[in-house]
mmCIF file of all heavy atoms in Angstrom:
data_model
loop_
_atom_site.group_PDB
_atom_site.id
_atom_site.type_symbol
_atom_site.label_atom_id
_atom_site.label_comp_id
_atom_site.label_asym_id
_atom_site.label_seq_id
_atom_site.Cartn_x
_atom_site.Cartn_y
_atom_site.Cartn_z
ATOM 1 N N VAL A 835 101.946 102.009 120.188
ATOM 2 C CA VAL A 835 102.544 101.450 118.970
ATOM 3 C C VAL A 835 101.477 100.919 117.983
ATOM 4 O O VAL A 835 101.419 101.297 116.763
ATOM 5 C CB VAL A 835 103.427 100.256 119.324
ATOM 6 C CG1 VAL A 835 103.872 99.519 118.049
ATOM 7 C CG2 VAL A 835 104.658 100.801 120.123
ATOM 8 N N PHE A 836 100.429 100.310 118.505
ATOM 9 C CA PHE A 836 99.375 99.759 117.630
ATOM 10 C C PHE A 836 98.503 100.769 117.067
ATOM 11 O O PHE A 836 98.011 100.743 115.866
ATOM 12 C CB PHE A 836 98.557 98.634 118.350
ATOM 13 C CG PHE A 836 99.143 97.334 118.326
ATOM 14 C CD1 PHE A 836 99.809 96.835 119.514
ATOM 15 C CD2 PHE A 836 99.145 96.448 117.247
ATOM 16 C CE1 PHE A 836 100.222 95.609 119.584
ATOM 17 C CE2 PHE A 836 99.701 95.304 117.307
ATOM 18 C CZ PHE A 836 100.297 94.773 118.443
ATOM 19 N N THR A 837 98.337 101.854 117.870
ATOM 20 C CA THR A 837 97.438 103.037 117.370
ATOM 21 C C THR A 837 98.121 103.661 116.187
ATOM 22 O O THR A 837 97.588 103.962 115.067
ATOM 23 C CB THR A 837 97.315 104.126 118.427
ATOM 24 O OG1 THR A 837 96.541 103.304 119.552
ATOM 25 C CG2 THR A 837 96.509 105.169 118.011
ATOM 26 N N TYR A 838 99.453 103.979 116.320
ATOM 27 C CA TYR A 838 100.190 104.611 115.164
ATOM 28 C C TYR A 838 100.310 103.643 113.942
ATOM 29 O O TYR A 838 100.178 104.118 112.869
ATOM 30 C CB TYR A 838 101.573 104.933 115.604
ATOM 31 C CG TYR A 838 101.720 106.244 116.366
ATOM 32 C CD1 TYR A 838 101.836 106.323 117.745
ATOM 33 C CD2 TYR A 838 101.597 107.480 115.693
ATOM 34 C CE1 TYR A 838 101.924 107.535 118.428
ATOM 35 C CE2 TYR A 838 101.641 108.781 116.306
ATOM 36 C CZ TYR A 838 101.784 108.716 117.669
ATOM 37 O OH TYR A 838 101.896 110.055 118.286
ATOM 38 N N PHE A 839 100.437 102.422 114.196
ATOM 39 C CA PHE A 839 100.452 101.359 113.155
ATOM 40 C C PHE A 839 99.177 101.314 112.363
ATOM 41 O O PHE A 839 99.203 101.462 111.087
ATOM 42 C CB PHE A 839 100.855 100.033 113.650
ATOM 43 C CG PHE A 839 100.960 98.968 112.630
ATOM 44 C CD1 PHE A 839 102.115 98.796 111.872
ATOM 45 C CD2 PHE A 839 99.899 98.051 112.380
ATOM 46 C CE1 PHE A 839 102.228 97.849 110.924
ATOM 47 C CE2 PHE A 839 100.018 97.213 111.507
ATOM 48 C CZ PHE A 839 101.100 96.968 110.661
ATOM 49 N N MET A 840 98.051 101.239 113.061
ATOM 50 C CA MET A 840 96.855 101.194 112.350
ATOM 51 C C MET A 840 96.425 102.515 111.640
ATOM 52 O O MET A 840 95.892 102.576 110.534
ATOM 53 C CB MET A 840 95.664 100.897 113.405
ATOM 54 C CG MET A 840 95.852 99.524 114.042
ATOM 55 S SD MET A 840 95.712 98.128 112.899
ATOM 56 C CE MET A 840 93.992 97.966 112.573
ATOM 57 N N VAL A 841 96.822 103.529 112.230
ATOM 58 C CA VAL A 841 96.581 104.879 111.480
ATOM 59 C C VAL A 841 97.442 104.914 110.253
ATOM 60 O O VAL A 841 96.951 105.417 109.179
ATOM 61 C CB VAL A 841 96.877 106.114 112.467
ATOM 62 C CG1 VAL A 841 96.863 107.409 111.730
ATOM 63 C CG2 VAL A 841 95.732 106.121 113.571
ATOM 64 N N ALA A 842 98.669 104.593 110.292
ATOM 65 C CA ALA A 842 99.626 104.647 109.164
ATOM 66 C C ALA A 842 99.120 103.708 108.088
ATOM 67 O O ALA A 842 99.139 104.101 106.799
ATOM 68 C CB ALA A 842 101.020 104.246 109.615
ATOM 69 N N ILE A 843 98.662 102.518 108.408
ATOM 70 C CA ILE A 843 98.157 101.593 107.359
ATOM 71 C C ILE A 843 96.898 102.015 106.749
ATOM 72 O O ILE A 843 96.646 101.964 105.564
ATOM 73 C CB ILE A 843 97.949 100.193 108.069
ATOM 74 C CG1 ILE A 843 99.261 99.604 108.462
ATOM 75 C CG2 ILE A 843 97.234 99.209 107.079
ATOM 76 C CD1 ILE A 843 100.253 99.375 107.328
ATOM 77 N N ALA A 844 95.998 102.767 107.475
ATOM 78 C CA ALA A 844 94.836 103.406 106.923
ATOM 79 C C ALA A 844 95.159 104.446 105.952
ATOM 80 O O ALA A 844 94.587 104.606 104.869
ATOM 81 C CB ALA A 844 93.946 103.969 107.978
ATOM 82 N N VAL A 845 96.230 105.184 106.233
ATOM 83 C CA VAL A 845 96.695 106.239 105.228
ATOM 84 C C VAL A 845 97.276 105.537 104.064
ATOM 85 O O VAL A 845 96.997 106.107 102.884
ATOM 86 C CB VAL A 845 97.764 107.131 105.912
ATOM 87 C CG1 VAL A 845 98.410 108.141 104.948
ATOM 88 C CG2 VAL A 845 97.099 107.978 107.131
ATOM 89 N N VAL A 846 97.966 104.475 104.184
ATOM 90 C CA VAL A 846 98.499 103.868 102.942
ATOM 91 C C VAL A 846 97.328 103.275 102.138
ATOM 92 O O VAL A 846 97.425 103.409 100.887
ATOM 93 C CB VAL A 846 99.379 102.636 103.404
ATOM 94 C CG1 VAL A 846 99.792 101.827 102.193
ATOM 95 C CG2 VAL A 846 100.621 103.139 104.014
ATOM 96 N N CYS A 847 96.314 102.773 102.691
ATOM 97 C CA CYS A 847 95.128 102.296 101.994
ATOM 98 C C CYS A 847 94.425 103.379 101.305
ATOM 99 O O CYS A 847 93.951 103.203 100.085
ATOM 100 C CB CYS A 847 94.209 101.536 102.897
ATOM 101 S SG CYS A 847 94.765 99.948 103.547
ATOM 102 N N ILE A 848 94.338 104.545 101.842
ATOM 103 C CA ILE A 848 93.758 105.733 101.184
ATOM 104 C C ILE A 848 94.592 106.075 99.905
ATOM 105 O O ILE A 848 94.059 106.347 98.812
ATOM 106 C CB ILE A 848 93.638 106.881 102.143
ATOM 107 C CG1 ILE A 848 92.613 106.503 103.276
ATOM 108 C CG2 ILE A 848 93.222 108.219 101.380
ATOM 109 C CD1 ILE A 848 92.537 107.590 104.335
ATOM 110 N N LEU A 849 95.843 106.176 100.043
ATOM 111 C CA LEU A 849 96.707 106.488 98.899
ATOM 112 C C LEU A 849 96.616 105.470 97.847
ATOM 113 O O LEU A 849 96.608 105.827 96.612
ATOM 114 C CB LEU A 849 98.232 106.595 99.397
ATOM 115 C CG LEU A 849 98.530 107.744 100.396
ATOM 116 C CD1 LEU A 849 99.980 107.700 100.893
ATOM 117 C CD2 LEU A 849 98.094 109.146 99.784
ATOM 118 N N LEU A 850 96.517 104.105 98.219
ATOM 119 C CA LEU A 850 96.417 103.191 97.194
ATOM 120 C C LEU A 850 95.050 103.229 96.459
ATOM 121 O O LEU A 850 95.009 103.171 95.183
ATOM 122 C CB LEU A 850 96.470 101.765 97.736
ATOM 123 C CG LEU A 850 97.854 101.321 98.214
ATOM 124 C CD1 LEU A 850 97.725 99.984 99.003
ATOM 125 C CD2 LEU A 850 98.723 101.138 96.983
ATOM 126 N N ASN A 851 94.065 103.595 97.109
ATOM 127 C CA ASN A 851 92.687 103.737 96.467
ATOM 128 C C ASN A 851 92.689 104.966 95.539
ATOM 129 O O ASN A 851 92.160 104.912 94.493
ATOM 130 C CB ASN A 851 91.569 103.917 97.509
ATOM 131 C CG ASN A 851 91.270 102.528 98.193
ATOM 132 O OD1 ASN A 851 91.275 101.587 97.697
ATOM 133 N ND2 ASN A 851 90.998 102.666 99.544
ATOM 134 N N LEU A 852 93.232 106.052 96.107
ATOM 135 C CA LEU A 852 93.279 107.302 95.201
ATOM 136 C C LEU A 852 94.200 107.046 93.968
ATOM 137 O O LEU A 852 93.903 107.600 92.894
ATOM 138 C CB LEU A 852 93.747 108.475 95.993
ATOM 139 C CG LEU A 852 92.827 108.914 97.170
ATOM 140 C CD1 LEU A 852 93.463 110.124 97.858
ATOM 141 C CD2 LEU A 852 91.544 109.289 96.567
ATOM 142 N N SER A 853 95.251 106.360 94.164
ATOM 143 C CA SER A 853 96.211 106.105 92.965
ATOM 144 C C SER A 853 95.476 105.194 92.011
ATOM 145 O O SER A 853 95.647 105.410 90.733
ATOM 146 C CB SER A 853 97.435 105.356 93.534
ATOM 147 O OG SER A 853 98.261 106.092 94.365
ATOM 148 N N GLU A 854 94.720 104.297 92.437
ATOM 149 C CA GLU A 854 93.879 103.386 91.454
ATOM 150 C C GLU A 854 92.784 104.246 90.773
ATOM 151 O O GLU A 854 92.505 104.136 89.578
ATOM 152 C CB GLU A 854 93.339 102.287 92.230
ATOM 153 C CG GLU A 854 92.735 101.203 91.236
ATOM 154 C CD GLU A 854 92.301 99.977 91.922
ATOM 155 O OE1 GLU A 854 92.394 99.855 93.110
ATOM 156 O OE2 GLU A 854 91.873 98.932 91.200
ATOM 157 N N VAL A 855 92.205 105.171 91.531
ATOM 158 C CA VAL A 855 91.284 106.030 90.937
ATOM 159 C C VAL A 855 91.845 106.895 89.712
ATOM 160 O O VAL A 855 91.302 106.944 88.601
ATOM 161 C CB VAL A 855 90.535 106.987 91.958
ATOM 162 C CG1 VAL A 855 89.671 108.102 91.194
ATOM 163 C CG2 VAL A 855 89.618 106.148 92.798
ATOM 164 N N ALA A 856 93.020 107.446 90.063
ATOM 165 C CA ALA A 856 93.672 108.228 89.087
ATOM 166 C C ALA A 856 94.164 107.350 87.904
ATOM 167 O O ALA A 856 94.161 107.774 86.632
ATOM 168 C CB ALA A 856 94.980 108.889 89.681
ATOM 169 N N TYR A 857 94.584 106.187 88.169
ATOM 170 C CA TYR A 857 94.985 105.181 87.074
ATOM 171 C C TYR A 857 93.826 104.859 86.206
ATOM 172 O O TYR A 857 93.836 104.933 84.972
ATOM 173 C CB TYR A 857 95.615 103.976 87.696
ATOM 174 C CG TYR A 857 95.759 102.743 86.657
ATOM 175 C CD1 TYR A 857 96.792 102.830 85.734
ATOM 176 C CD2 TYR A 857 94.843 101.779 86.646
ATOM 177 C CE1 TYR A 857 96.994 101.819 84.811
ATOM 178 C CE2 TYR A 857 95.015 100.734 85.773
ATOM 179 C CZ TYR A 857 96.005 100.782 84.886
ATOM 180 O OH TYR A 857 96.197 99.687 83.974
ATOM 181 N N LEU A 858 92.660 104.558 86.693
ATOM 182 C CA LEU A 858 91.471 104.230 85.973
ATOM 183 C C LEU A 858 90.998 105.365 85.114
ATOM 184 O O LEU A 858 90.723 105.225 83.918
ATOM 185 C CB LEU A 858 90.349 103.710 86.868
ATOM 186 C CG LEU A 858 90.566 102.413 87.483
ATOM 187 C CD1 LEU A 858 89.380 102.024 88.426
ATOM 188 C CD2 LEU A 858 90.661 101.279 86.438
ATOM 189 N N VAL A 859 90.876 106.509 85.779
ATOM 190 C CA VAL A 859 90.426 107.708 84.974
ATOM 191 C C VAL A 859 91.397 108.109 83.877
ATOM 192 O O VAL A 859 91.044 108.464 82.796
ATOM 193 C CB VAL A 859 90.203 108.854 85.967
ATOM 194 C CG1 VAL A 859 89.914 110.121 85.195
ATOM 195 C CG2 VAL A 859 89.093 108.601 86.934
ATOM 196 N N GLY A 860 92.712 108.038 84.210
ATOM 197 C CA GLY A 860 93.771 108.459 83.165
ATOM 198 C C GLY A 860 93.670 107.439 82.044
ATOM 199 O O GLY A 860 93.817 107.854 80.786
ATOM 200 N N LYS A 861 93.474 106.109 82.335
ATOM 201 C CA LYS A 861 93.444 105.157 81.268
ATOM 202 C C LYS A 861 92.305 105.253 80.410
ATOM 203 O O LYS A 861 92.257 105.080 79.184
ATOM 204 C CB LYS A 861 93.449 103.716 81.918
ATOM 205 C CG LYS A 861 93.560 102.545 80.887
ATOM 206 C CD LYS A 861 93.633 101.225 81.636
ATOM 207 C CE LYS A 861 93.675 100.156 80.567
ATOM 208 N NZ LYS A 861 93.586 98.725 81.238
ATOM 209 N N ARG A 862 91.133 105.626 81.022
ATOM 210 C CA ARG A 862 89.900 105.858 80.345
ATOM 211 C C ARG A 862 89.995 107.035 79.328
ATOM 212 O O ARG A 862 89.577 106.923 78.229
ATOM 213 C CB ARG A 862 88.723 106.001 81.249
ATOM 214 C CG ARG A 862 87.403 106.051 80.602
ATOM 215 C CD ARG A 862 87.104 104.766 79.759
ATOM 216 N NE ARG A 862 85.790 104.817 79.140
ATOM 217 C CZ ARG A 862 85.370 104.012 78.228
ATOM 218 N NH1 ARG A 862 86.150 103.088 77.702
ATOM 219 N NH2 ARG A 862 84.132 104.058 77.761
ATOM 220 N N CYS A 863 90.541 108.093 79.876
ATOM 221 C CA CYS A 863 90.703 109.232 79.060
ATOM 222 C C CYS A 863 91.594 109.094 77.872
ATOM 223 O O CYS A 863 91.436 109.557 76.750
ATOM 224 C CB CYS A 863 91.252 110.408 79.909
ATOM 225 S SG CYS A 863 90.073 111.073 81.173
ATOM 226 N N GLN A 864 92.780 108.218 78.122
ATOM 227 C CA GLN A 864 93.658 107.861 77.035
ATOM 228 C C GLN A 864 92.901 107.008 76.062
ATOM 229 O O GLN A 864 93.180 107.242 74.797
ATOM 230 C CB GLN A 864 94.807 107.138 77.706
ATOM 231 C CG GLN A 864 95.924 106.896 76.700
ATOM 232 C CD GLN A 864 97.065 106.223 77.358
ATOM 233 O OE1 GLN A 864 96.939 105.630 78.437
ATOM 234 N NE2 GLN A 864 98.226 106.118 76.710
ATOM 235 N N GLU A 865 92.078 106.148 76.401
ATOM 236 C CA GLU A 865 91.344 105.270 75.402
ATOM 237 C C GLU A 865 90.422 106.136 74.640
ATOM 238 O O GLU A 865 90.202 105.845 73.384
ATOM 239 C CB GLU A 865 90.560 104.219 76.127
ATOM 240 C CG GLU A 865 91.508 103.099 76.775
ATOM 241 C CD GLU A 865 90.668 102.085 77.599
ATOM 242 O OE1 GLU A 865 89.436 102.278 77.752
ATOM 243 O OE2 GLU A 865 91.331 101.164 78.051
#
């Protein structure tokens, strides 16, 4: 249970980081 939980949370953190990268780059291009 803990193995699957930690792996799933790591995937969520990766998606959050990539989403923020896309947000920053998109905002900068818009500016």
